[in-house]
């Protein structure tokens, strides 16, 4: 079972893991309130414990630029079956990564870090470590993947201090040690000079 | 701790000893009888004599303490023989016989009963279903392998008996040897972690090599490797994940069993290799040469091409070649032993060079033996690790390589084969 929106949010906060500012919207009237607080552009997506891949059911709208677009998005998303609700969220820009934790039958809890988006599906650009890890291990994990270039100012992109990610991974390691769950996906984690933001989370218990 | 009463026993009882042609029992007897250093007793309920020596009907008829009992009887009588060994209070039991957990539920149950009996009696168990154990520096071979390998400094712990046979069969040709060989078998008693600890505490062993198909407790396996004082080199089989389980997360889908194993091994600072050949290429380098203090590789070569091939491989690893002098240093095709000596001394002296690679292509004026001699002298003088690539083993080159390797300087016949050993010595794997 996938944990609900609020439970997941609480667990992440406990370990100082950042998420974009977001609101759970129950009816159309709440849309204007949420977008006023968040500002534009923003992302709207379904919150669902039943759909593993949101994008496959058309459950994510990005780059929403005004209130009208937001309301249209809500109407469309709200029609999708088996959802818990709709979430409006601050849109974060930066380098995309995937982070995950798996409970391996032989090695116990294992941390995964890799390039996000299509990079992970197509190029399998990933590194793994048995938990718990220290910052040195986290740095090795970053340096093992090709996607590290996105942190090093690739093609005029922003250069990001790797410490942001090593701190992030060490916090995830701590979370994995303390909390009881089967698997967790943080995908994507978007990193910019402000920090590492978990933009989508799935904790499976 | 290595238990000498098992791995270098004074007295051995072979239960199921026979001289019948083509039998496993005869193989074990022949291997154990290559030395007169230890007393070997034969136990066989049916045969009066084995190789014209007296046999005993039961281990308890032997009027001597038994350090190690080697069991090669059919599976149906193993349990009964184990009872005899418990009564005899033997130091250890090695069960070569097969037909246990590897055959299914019934065999597994039988194996569990046997291992519990021995555990209760405090008697260590090796096997069942294994090739046996060998300790070449002490002329100890309690296995049905086709002979004994050269004695040396590499411990080989294997979940495949057949691979041990292959390694032993090749040993005559190689300049490296073995300190300890253990066929793990079904691990009903001692487990792979115990064997790693045993090899780590063995004074003859400098490097531990492992052939692994699977481990039951990954975390304990990893912890054991992390705690070893000696380098560990691992060859893993069964890398392809064939299970298509329903997964709920991306991570579950992407984190295959082999990827996790491989990462854990890396985290534990062991070297993972892709083939048996590569395993011993790395192992001989690590057993003969000490680890480098820095990461700088200096290359001296009498052939430009060979030098560039190696330089390319090193650059591809994301490493740099120190440039305090020209590197690779091409001492040109007509290089004499004096040129080798001069070039090598110059290179190895550089502060930023932590490991020197000396390449030789066999040109018309090349003097391999003399070159080998100069390289050895320099290596001893400067006390930095040296790896040699003598390419082309015709003429006296083969003898030169033997001379180098007898002096613990590893040789590879191709830059590609030298790469992994070099990376292992400079800790860049």
């Amino acid at each position: 079972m996938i944990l609900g929106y609020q439970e997941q949010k609480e667990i992440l906060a406990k370990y100082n893991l950042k998420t974009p500012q977001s609101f759970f919207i129950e009816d159309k009237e709440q849309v204007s309130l949420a977008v006023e607080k968040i500002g534009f552009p923003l992302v709207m997506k379904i919150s669902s414990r039943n759909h593993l891949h949101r994008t496959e059911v058309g459950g994510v709208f990005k780059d929403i630029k005004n209130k009208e677009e937001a309301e249209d998005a809500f109407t469309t998303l709200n029609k999708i079956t088996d959802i818990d609700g709709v979430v409006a969220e601050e849109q974060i820009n930066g380098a995309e990564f995937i982070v995950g934790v798996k409970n391996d039958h032989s090695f116990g809890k294992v941390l995964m870090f890799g390039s996000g988006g299509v990079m992970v599906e197509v190029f399998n650009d990933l590194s793994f470590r048995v938990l718990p890890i220290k910052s040195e291990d986290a740095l090795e994990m970053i340096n093992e993947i090709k996607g590290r270039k996105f942190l090093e100012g690739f093609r005029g992109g922003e250069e990001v201090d790797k410490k942001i990610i090593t701190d992030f991974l060490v916090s995830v390691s701590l979370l994995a040690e303390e909390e009881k769950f089967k698997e967790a996906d943080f995908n994507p984690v978007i990193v910019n000079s402000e920090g590492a933001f978990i933009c989508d989370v799935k904790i499976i218990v | 701790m290595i238990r000498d009463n098992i791995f270098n026993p004074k007295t051995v009882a072979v239960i199921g000893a026979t001289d019948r042609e083509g039998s496993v029992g005869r193989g074990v007897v022949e291997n154990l009888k290559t030395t007169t250093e230890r007393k070997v007793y034969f136990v066989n309920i049916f045969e009066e004599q084995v190789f014209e020596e007296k046999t005993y009907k039961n281990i308890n008829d032997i009027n001597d303490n038994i350090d190690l009992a080697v069991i090669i009887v059919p599976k149906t009588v193993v349990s009964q023989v184990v009872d005899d060994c418990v009564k005899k209070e033997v130091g250890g039991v090695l069960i070569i016989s097969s037909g246990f957990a590897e055959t299914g539920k019934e065999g597994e149950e039988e194996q569990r009963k046997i291992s519990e009996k021995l555990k209760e009696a405090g008697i260590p168990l090796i096997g069942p279903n294994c090739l046996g154990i060998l300790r070449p520096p002490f002329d100890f071979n309690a296995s049905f392998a086709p002979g004994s390998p050269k004695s040396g400094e590499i411990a080989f712990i294997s979940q495949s008996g057949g691979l041990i046979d292959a390694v032993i069969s090749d040993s005559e040709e190689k300049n490296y040897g073995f300190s300890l060989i253990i066929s793990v078998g079904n691990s009903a008693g001692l487990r792979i972690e115990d064997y790693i600890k045993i090899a780590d505490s063995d004074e003859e062993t400098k490097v531990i090599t492992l052939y692994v198909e699977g481990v039951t407790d990954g975390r304990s396996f990893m912890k054991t490797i992390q705690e070893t004082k000696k380098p560990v080199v691992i060859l893993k089989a069964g890398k392809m994940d064939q299970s298509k389980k329903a997964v709920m997360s991306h991570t579950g889908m992407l984190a295959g069993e082999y990827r996790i194993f491989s990462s854990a091994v890396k985290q534990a600072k062991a070297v993972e290799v892709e083939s048996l050949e590569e395993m011993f290429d790395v192992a001989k380098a690590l057993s003969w040469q000490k680890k480098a203090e820095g990461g700088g590789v200096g290359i001296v070569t009498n052939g430009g091409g060979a030098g560039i091939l190696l330089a390319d491989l090193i650059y591809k690893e994301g490493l740099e070649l120190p440039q305090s002098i020209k590197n690779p240093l091409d001492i040109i095709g007509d290089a004499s032993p004096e040129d080798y000596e001069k070039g090598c001394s110059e290179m190895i002296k550089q502060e930023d060079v932590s490991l020197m690679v000396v390449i030789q292509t066999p040109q018309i004026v090349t003097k391999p033996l003399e070159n080998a001699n100069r390289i050895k002298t320099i290596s001893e003088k400067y006390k930095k690790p040296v790896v040699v690539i003598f390419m082309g083993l015709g003429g006296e080159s083969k003898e030169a390589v033997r001379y180098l390797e007898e002096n613990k300087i590893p040789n590879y016949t191709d830059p590609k084969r030298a790469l992994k050993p070099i990376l292992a010595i400079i800790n860049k794997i």
Side-chain angles (χ1 to χ4, degrees), chain A residues 52-53 100-102 104-107 109 112 120-121 124 126 128-131 144 183-185 187 204, chain B residues 215-219 221-222 247-255 257 259-261 263-264 266-267 269:
Chain A
L52 196 58
H53 297 288
V101 178
K102 180 193 171 177
D104 181 76
H105 65 92
S106 183
F107 286 94
K109 287 215 167 122
M112 178 181 88
V120 64
E121 307 274 355
N124 235 296
L126 299 162
F128 294 89
R129 285 294 181 278
V130 174
L131 292 174
E144 268 173 37
E183 279 169 26
D185 271 349
N187 181 28
I204 299 158
Chain B
V215 291
T216 36
D217 184 347
R219 213 160 253 257
F221 176 74
M222 183 184 166
V247 282
M248 287 190 73
S249 70
H250 264 99
T251 312
M253 185 176 69
L254 295 164
E257 284 184 13
R259 288 198 85 156
I260 292 174
F261 178 91
S263 307
K266 186 179 196 145
Q267 214 174 332
K269 309 275 181 247

Side-chain angles (χ1 to χ4, degrees), chain A residues 137-156:
Chain A
D137 304 307
L139 188 60
E140 276 180 26
M141 289 183 86
I142 298 168
N143 290 333
E144 268 173 37
I145 67 163
K146 293 194 173 70
R148 68 174 181 277
K149 289 196 180 127
F150 294 116
L151 303 169
E152 292 164 351
F154 179 70
R155 288 214 176 153

Side-chain angles (χ1 to χ4, degrees), chain B residues 200-231:
Chain B
D200 199 38
S201 71
D202 172 32
E203 278 182 28
E204 317 295 323
T205 298
K206 294 257 173 69
V207 180
I208 303 165
T209 60
L210 306 173
Y211 166 78
V212 179
E213 286 170 6
V215 291
T216 36
D217 184 347
R219 213 160 253 257
S220 120
F221 176 74
M222 183 184 166
K223 184 166 171 275
T224 305
I225 295 174
Q226 257 164 345
E227 286 168 357
T228 55
K229 299 180 289 295
K230 294 169 189 171

